[in-house]
Each structure stands twice: as C-alpha cells, then as structure tokens.
Amino acid sequence: MFQQMQYFIAIVNNHSFTQAAVDCHISQSAISQQMKELESQLGVKLLNRKGRSFEVTEAGQYFYIHSQDILADVDQLIKKTIKIEKNDEVELRVGYLRSFGTAEFLQTVSKFTQEFPKVKIKISSGTHEELYELLQTGKIDLNFSDQRRALSNEYQNEFLTASEFMVAVNNSLPVEAQKIDVADLVDIPCILIIDGHQQVSEEEYYRNVLGVKSEFVIAKSYDEAQMLIASNQGYLIINQRMRTQLDKDIVKMISLVKGNRKLIQNYYAYWQANNSGYYIETFAELLKQTFA
C-alpha cells in the first residue's frame, strides 16, 4: 500500500493522472488501476472523477494528509534501521541542564555506552534557553531540561522527575520557617544566576510563571549568590534538588508557595517528534529508569 499512497499523493499534488504517472515513472493506465485497487482496499472513494478532471473527497483529503506523515515516518524508519546495522557511524547528541547536576545524567550515559559501545555520544550542557535553542536548530537530538513552556506536539516529552521550589534567605530574616509566599518577598531583591544575555527570558519566567514581584539582582554563580544572601542583599529561588549547593549554616531554605499552591519544577527529556529514533528513545528510557 505504501507505493499506492505515493501514487495518490502524486496525483493530488499534480491534480493530474498524466503528470503523476510521468513523475512516478509508470503508465497512466497503470496508475489509474492502482488508484482503483487502493479505493477497493479501503472501501471508500478518494477521488470523484468528472470526465478528465476529479475532485478529492473528504476521505481523500484525510488520507492525503496522513499518508504524507506515514511515508515520512517510514523513510525515517528505514534510515534509522540502516544506521543500527552500521552503528559505528552513529552519533547521539544529548544536552543536559547545567544547574541540575550530573549524577543521573552520567549514570545514563554510562549505561547507554555499555549497551551501545559503537555509538558516539556528544554531550552539551547549558541553561534552559541555550538547550532549547540547540534542540530547535537540530544541534542536539535530545535535551534533558526543566519545563518552562507548555508542552508541544512538535516534541516528544518524557517526564522524568519533579522538585518543589524553595527560597534561600539570610538566616537572620524574620520569616515563617515552614513556607513563604512569593508575594511576601516583594521588598527583597530576587537573585538570578545567569549570563547577561539571558536576563530578559529569565525575568519573564520568574514574573509570569513564579509570580515574582521583586526587583532583580544578577549573580554569575552559586557562590556569588550566596554572598549576596549572606550580606542580606537578596533571596534566591532554587528547588530541593539544588539545595545541597548552598551552605545551610549561612542561608536557610523555606518552601515557596504562591497563594495556597506549592510551586513545583518539572523536568523532562525532550526531542523533536520528527527526529525520533531507536537510540534517542532508548537513551530517554534509560534516563527515566535512573529517576524511577
């Protein structure tokens, strides 16, 4: 049926049996016969013929659109299957969120390498925005990062883990020990650990998603951020995962809420839906198992 699907797509694209036959390198009578057989197999009319012209039926439009998707998937399947046989030529490019840490990610890399020793793994690290750009531009195949946008059907999204947001403040700050509302921090600067060119996107995330109303102050590292906290010059939003990077004798960490709702940070493995493949999916599954 795949061949018949190709013929049907050519007919619709050219709106002509004659030109479609030329493009497909078969006779017009043969391509007409193939269309009759296809309609017979499906039990529906794909084309309403009117003399020498035709109109595509509603069922035909549906079949036309989804046939292209299926044939593209088949093409990818063939290419990936060939690569598995010649896996000494395969390169898997993966990226991970630098601020998250490397323990689970490196465990996954180790397991994958043991299972597929001939697959070359190229690893990148970065901020959320840096990794998102690398994935968008096809420079990495899989991205392990936090969720900052609504999940898109353009990507495969594999949930890995979640961590509650916390706020790191100076030990002397008179705040409730169990939890603090982000609105109660409005008079204290919020510390962002970023490079300068990411400031706009980070501020938008903190404002629109986390509900931060404070002014911002920039730090280039956790050490610099901790110095600002120790000198009472701001607070830092982190999550439970990252709390080990701060000295509990210098700062205290409190659960962060927004109204009555806990703030949670989700982490996913992302890859482009049209670039899915055996090695990408296997790496994502191993990463998921590491967090289980």
Side-chain angles (χ1 to χ4, degrees), residues 4-171:
Q4 292 171 333
M5 291 162 71
Q6 291 175 331
Y7 292 155
F8 178 67
I9 291 168
I11 291 168
V12 175
N13 286 343
N14 289 286
H15 204 74
S16 165
F17 277 79
T18 302
Q19 188 57 48
V22 172
D23 290 352
C24 295
H25 307 291
I26 62 171
S27 67
Q28 185 174 337
S29 60
I31 203 169
S32 296
Q33 182 60 37
Q34 288 295 318
M35 285 305 95
K36 289 178 181 178
E37 290 182 11
L38 177 59
E39 288 178 324
S40 177
Q41 289 179 58
L42 296 174
V44 297
K45 279 281 187 184
L46 300 177
L47 304 170
N48 281 328
R49 296 164 178 79
K50 298 182 178 180
R52 293 185 177 182
S53 65
F54 62 83
E55 290 182 353
V56 182
T57 66
E58 185 177 351
Q61 287 286 0
Y62 178 86
F63 191 78
Y64 169 74
I65 292 170
H66 292 283
S67 289
Q68 294 177 83
D69 294 337
I70 290 170
L71 290 178
D73 287 342
V74 170
D75 183 58
Q76 284 295 313
L77 174 63
I78 292 170
K79 289 178 180 178
K80 302 286 179 160
T81 302
I82 292 171
K83 280 187 175 182
I84 289 174
E85 177 63 25
K86 301 178 179 180
N87 63 9
D88 56 327
E89 301 174 7
V90 175
E91 179 180 78
L92 179 65
R93 302 163 303 168
V94 294
Y96 71 92
L97 190 65
R98 187 182 299 125
S99 61
F100 187 87
T102 60
E104 292 86 356
F105 188 82
L106 289 180
Q107 287 176 37
T108 303
V109 170
S110 177
K111 290 177 184 176
F112 184 90
T113 302
Q114 290 176 36
E115 190 169 345
F116 305 102
K118 293 183 180 180
V119 178
K120 181 180 178 181
I121 299 183
K122 183 178 180 181
I123 300 173
S124 302
S125 67
T127 64
H128 174 93
E129 293 302 317
E130 288 170 342
L131 294 172
Y132 180 65
E133 183 178 349
L134 290 174
L135 188 62
Q136 269 193 317
T137 55
K139 293 178 181 177
I140 58 175
D141 300 308
L142 179 144
N143 169 22
F144 163 45
S145 186
D146 54 343
Q147 181 190 358
R148 300 224 172 167
R149 297 169 172 83
L151 299 179
S152 168
N153 290 332
E154 293 181 14
Y155 298 92
Q156 295 288 341
N157 310 290
E158 185 69 62
F159 175 77
L160 298 174
T161 189
S163 185
E164 290 185 18
F165 276 105
M166 308 189 77
V167 60
V169 296
N170 188 288
N171 265 321

Side-chain angles (χ1 to χ4, degrees), residues 225-290:
Q226 193 161 239
M227 289 178 190
L228 290 171
I229 297 170
S231 58
N232 240 341
Q233 296 183 57
Y235 67 89
L236 178 67
I237 294 178
I238 59 172
N239 62 47
Q240 286 184 329
R241 166 78 193 197
M242 300 171 185
R243 64 191 302 175
T244 56
Q245 301 192 52
L246 300 177
D247 188 339
K248 64 181 180 180
D249 293 328
I250 297 175
V251 303
K252 59 181 171 183
M253 285 161 277
I254 308 164
S255 293
L256 187 64
V257 298
K258 185 178 179 183
N260 296 320
R261 179 171 60 89
K262 286 184 176 181
L263 292 173
I264 305 293
Q265 191 162 42
N266 293 321
Y267 293 89
Y268 284 81
Y270 306 93
W271 63 95
Q272 291 190 11
N274 61 6
N275 187 40
S276 192
Y278 179 70
Y279 294 125
I280 294 174
E281 293 174 7
T282 299
F283 190 92
E285 180 59 30
L286 289 173
L287 192 57
K288 185 177 180 179
Q289 290 172 12
T290 304

Side-chain angles (χ1 to χ4, degrees), residues 127 148 191-203 206 216-222 224 236:
T127 64
R148 300 224 172 167
I191 302 167
L192 297 181
I193 304 176
I194 53 171
D195 294 327
H197 69 281
Q198 300 161 358
Q199 186 168 344
V200 173
S201 61
E202 284 293 293
E203 288 186 3
Y206 275 65
F216 292 105
V217 59
I218 306 303
K220 294 182 180 179
S221 66
Y222 276 96
E224 188 175 324
L236 178 67

Side-chain angles (χ1 to χ4, degrees), residues 176-189:
E176 186 179 343
Q178 297 302 313
K179 63 181 179 180
I180 187 169
D181 195 300
V182 66
D184 295 332
L185 296 164
V186 64
D187 295 326
I188 307 172

